[in-house]
Short mmCIF file of all heavy atoms in Angstrom, two decimals:
data_model
loop_
_atom_site.label_atom_id
_atom_site.label_comp_id
_atom_site.label_asym_id
_atom_site.label_seq_id
_atom_site.Cartn_x
_atom_site.Cartn_y
_atom_site.Cartn_z
N ASP A 88 24.79 -11.55 -25.48
CA ASP A 88 25.90 -12.20 -24.79
C ASP A 88 25.49 -12.60 -23.38
O ASP A 88 25.77 -13.73 -22.93
CB ASP A 88 27.11 -11.27 -24.73
CG ASP A 88 27.82 -11.14 -26.08
OD1 ASP A 88 27.55 -11.97 -26.97
OD2 ASP A 88 28.63 -10.21 -26.24
N TRP A 89 24.84 -11.69 -22.67
CA TRP A 89 24.44 -11.96 -21.29
C TRP A 89 23.32 -12.98 -21.24
O TRP A 89 23.26 -13.80 -20.32
CB TRP A 89 24.02 -10.66 -20.61
CG TRP A 89 25.14 -9.67 -20.47
CD1 TRP A 89 26.46 -9.91 -20.69
CD2 TRP A 89 25.04 -8.30 -20.08
NE1 TRP A 89 27.20 -8.76 -20.48
CE2 TRP A 89 26.35 -7.76 -20.10
CE3 TRP A 89 23.99 -7.46 -19.75
CZ2 TRP A 89 26.62 -6.43 -19.77
CZ3 TRP A 89 24.24 -6.14 -19.41
CH2 TRP A 89 25.54 -5.63 -19.43
N ARG A 90 22.44 -12.95 -22.22
CA ARG A 90 21.38 -13.95 -22.29
C ARG A 90 21.97 -15.34 -22.46
O ARG A 90 21.60 -16.29 -21.76
CB ARG A 90 20.45 -13.64 -23.47
CG ARG A 90 19.35 -14.66 -23.72
CD ARG A 90 18.85 -14.58 -25.16
NE ARG A 90 19.84 -15.07 -26.11
CZ ARG A 90 19.68 -15.04 -27.44
NH1 ARG A 90 18.56 -14.54 -27.95
NH2 ARG A 90 20.62 -15.51 -28.23
N ASP A 91 22.91 -15.48 -23.39
CA ASP A 91 23.47 -16.79 -23.70
C ASP A 91 24.34 -17.33 -22.57
O ASP A 91 24.49 -18.55 -22.43
CB ASP A 91 24.28 -16.73 -25.00
CG ASP A 91 23.41 -16.42 -26.22
OD1 ASP A 91 22.18 -16.60 -26.12
OD2 ASP A 91 23.96 -15.97 -27.25
N SER A 92 24.93 -16.43 -21.78
CA SER A 92 25.77 -16.88 -20.66
C SER A 92 24.95 -17.12 -19.39
O SER A 92 25.51 -17.57 -18.37
CB SER A 92 26.86 -15.83 -20.36
OG SER A 92 26.28 -14.62 -19.88
N GLY A 93 23.65 -16.82 -19.44
CA GLY A 93 22.81 -17.00 -18.26
C GLY A 93 23.06 -15.97 -17.18
O GLY A 93 22.77 -16.21 -16.01
N LEU A 94 23.57 -14.80 -17.56
CA LEU A 94 23.93 -13.79 -16.56
C LEU A 94 22.73 -13.32 -15.75
O LEU A 94 22.81 -13.15 -14.53
CB LEU A 94 24.59 -12.58 -17.25
CG LEU A 94 24.99 -11.44 -16.32
CD1 LEU A 94 26.08 -11.89 -15.35
CD2 LEU A 94 25.46 -10.22 -17.11
N PHE A 95 21.60 -13.10 -16.41
CA PHE A 95 20.43 -12.58 -15.70
C PHE A 95 19.93 -13.59 -14.67
O PHE A 95 19.51 -13.22 -13.57
CB PHE A 95 19.33 -12.23 -16.69
CG PHE A 95 19.74 -11.22 -17.72
CD1 PHE A 95 19.78 -11.56 -19.08
CD2 PHE A 95 20.10 -9.94 -17.35
CE1 PHE A 95 20.18 -10.63 -20.02
CE2 PHE A 95 20.49 -9.01 -18.30
CZ PHE A 95 20.54 -9.34 -19.63
N GLU A 96 19.98 -14.88 -15.00
CA GLU A 96 19.59 -15.91 -14.04
C GLU A 96 20.55 -15.94 -12.86
O GLU A 96 20.11 -16.09 -11.70
CB GLU A 96 19.55 -17.28 -14.71
CG GLU A 96 18.43 -17.47 -15.73
CD GLU A 96 18.88 -17.18 -17.15
OE1 GLU A 96 19.63 -16.19 -17.35
OE2 GLU A 96 18.51 -17.95 -18.04
N LYS A 97 21.85 -15.77 -13.12
CA LYS A 97 22.83 -15.80 -12.04
C LYS A 97 22.65 -14.61 -11.11
O LYS A 97 22.72 -14.76 -9.88
CB LYS A 97 24.25 -15.79 -12.64
CG LYS A 97 24.59 -17.04 -13.44
CD LYS A 97 25.94 -16.89 -14.14
CE LYS A 97 26.22 -18.08 -15.05
NZ LYS A 97 27.48 -17.88 -15.84
N ILE A 98 22.42 -13.44 -11.68
CA ILE A 98 22.20 -12.25 -10.84
C ILE A 98 20.93 -12.42 -10.02
O ILE A 98 20.90 -12.11 -8.82
CB ILE A 98 22.12 -10.99 -11.71
CG1 ILE A 98 23.47 -10.72 -12.39
CG2 ILE A 98 21.71 -9.78 -10.87
CD1 ILE A 98 23.45 -9.53 -13.34
N ASN A 99 19.87 -12.93 -10.63
CA ASN A 99 18.62 -13.14 -9.91
C ASN A 99 18.85 -14.10 -8.73
O ASN A 99 18.33 -13.88 -7.62
CB ASN A 99 17.57 -13.71 -10.85
CG ASN A 99 16.21 -13.85 -10.19
OD1 ASN A 99 15.41 -12.92 -10.13
ND2 ASN A 99 15.90 -15.03 -9.68
N PHE A 100 19.61 -15.17 -8.97
CA PHE A 100 19.88 -16.14 -7.92
C PHE A 100 20.60 -15.50 -6.74
O PHE A 100 20.21 -15.66 -5.57
CB PHE A 100 20.71 -17.29 -8.50
CG PHE A 100 21.23 -18.26 -7.47
CD1 PHE A 100 20.38 -19.17 -6.88
CD2 PHE A 100 22.56 -18.25 -7.10
CE1 PHE A 100 20.85 -20.08 -5.93
CE2 PHE A 100 23.04 -19.15 -6.16
CZ PHE A 100 22.19 -20.06 -5.57
N GLU A 101 21.67 -14.74 -7.02
CA GLU A 101 22.45 -14.13 -5.95
C GLU A 101 21.63 -13.09 -5.19
O GLU A 101 21.69 -13.02 -3.95
CB GLU A 101 23.71 -13.48 -6.53
CG GLU A 101 24.69 -14.45 -7.16
CD GLU A 101 25.32 -15.39 -6.14
OE1 GLU A 101 25.30 -15.06 -4.93
OE2 GLU A 101 25.82 -16.46 -6.55
N LEU A 102 20.86 -12.28 -5.91
CA LEU A 102 20.07 -11.25 -5.24
C LEU A 102 18.91 -11.85 -4.45
O LEU A 102 18.52 -11.31 -3.41
CB LEU A 102 19.54 -10.25 -6.28
CG LEU A 102 20.59 -9.42 -7.01
CD1 LEU A 102 19.92 -8.43 -7.96
CD2 LEU A 102 21.50 -8.68 -6.04
N LEU A 103 18.37 -12.96 -4.94
CA LEU A 103 17.31 -13.64 -4.19
C LEU A 103 17.82 -14.10 -2.83
O LEU A 103 17.16 -13.91 -1.80
CB LEU A 103 16.79 -14.83 -4.99
CG LEU A 103 15.86 -15.80 -4.25
CD1 LEU A 103 14.55 -15.10 -3.87
CD2 LEU A 103 15.58 -17.04 -5.09
N LEU A 104 19.02 -14.69 -2.81
CA LEU A 104 19.60 -15.12 -1.54
C LEU A 104 19.80 -13.93 -0.60
O LEU A 104 19.51 -14.01 0.60
CB LEU A 104 20.93 -15.84 -1.79
CG LEU A 104 20.91 -17.07 -2.69
CD1 LEU A 104 22.28 -17.73 -2.71
CD2 LEU A 104 19.85 -18.07 -2.25
N GLN A 105 20.30 -12.82 -1.16
CA GLN A 105 20.51 -11.63 -0.34
C GLN A 105 19.19 -11.09 0.21
O GLN A 105 19.11 -10.70 1.39
CB GLN A 105 21.20 -10.53 -1.16
CG GLN A 105 22.63 -10.83 -1.55
CD GLN A 105 23.25 -9.68 -2.31
OE1 GLN A 105 23.06 -8.50 -1.97
NE2 GLN A 105 24.01 -9.99 -3.34
N ALA A 106 18.16 -11.07 -0.63
CA ALA A 106 16.87 -10.52 -0.21
C ALA A 106 16.26 -11.37 0.89
O ALA A 106 15.67 -10.86 1.85
CB ALA A 106 15.93 -10.42 -1.41
N ARG A 107 16.37 -12.69 0.78
CA ARG A 107 15.81 -13.56 1.80
C ARG A 107 16.57 -13.41 3.12
O ARG A 107 15.97 -13.36 4.19
CB ARG A 107 15.84 -15.02 1.32
CG ARG A 107 14.81 -15.32 0.23
CD ARG A 107 14.87 -16.79 -0.18
NE ARG A 107 14.66 -17.68 0.94
CZ ARG A 107 13.47 -18.04 1.40
NH1 ARG A 107 12.37 -17.58 0.82
NH2 ARG A 107 13.38 -18.88 2.43
N GLU A 108 17.89 -13.34 3.05
CA GLU A 108 18.67 -13.18 4.28
C GLU A 108 18.42 -11.82 4.91
O GLU A 108 18.37 -11.70 6.13
CB GLU A 108 20.16 -13.37 3.97
CG GLU A 108 20.52 -14.82 3.63
CD GLU A 108 21.99 -14.98 3.29
OE1 GLU A 108 22.61 -13.97 2.88
OE2 GLU A 108 22.52 -16.10 3.43
#
Side-chain angles (χ1 to χ4, degrees):
D88 286 345
W89 296 349
R90 176 202 70 183
D91 295 342
S92 67
L94 179 65
F95 302 117
E96 291 95 319
K97 295 173 186 174
I98 295 176
N99 185 85
F100 172 74
E101 296 294 340
L102 295 182
L103 170 65
L104 302 186
Q105 291 183 41
R107 288 182 57 85
E108 290 178 336

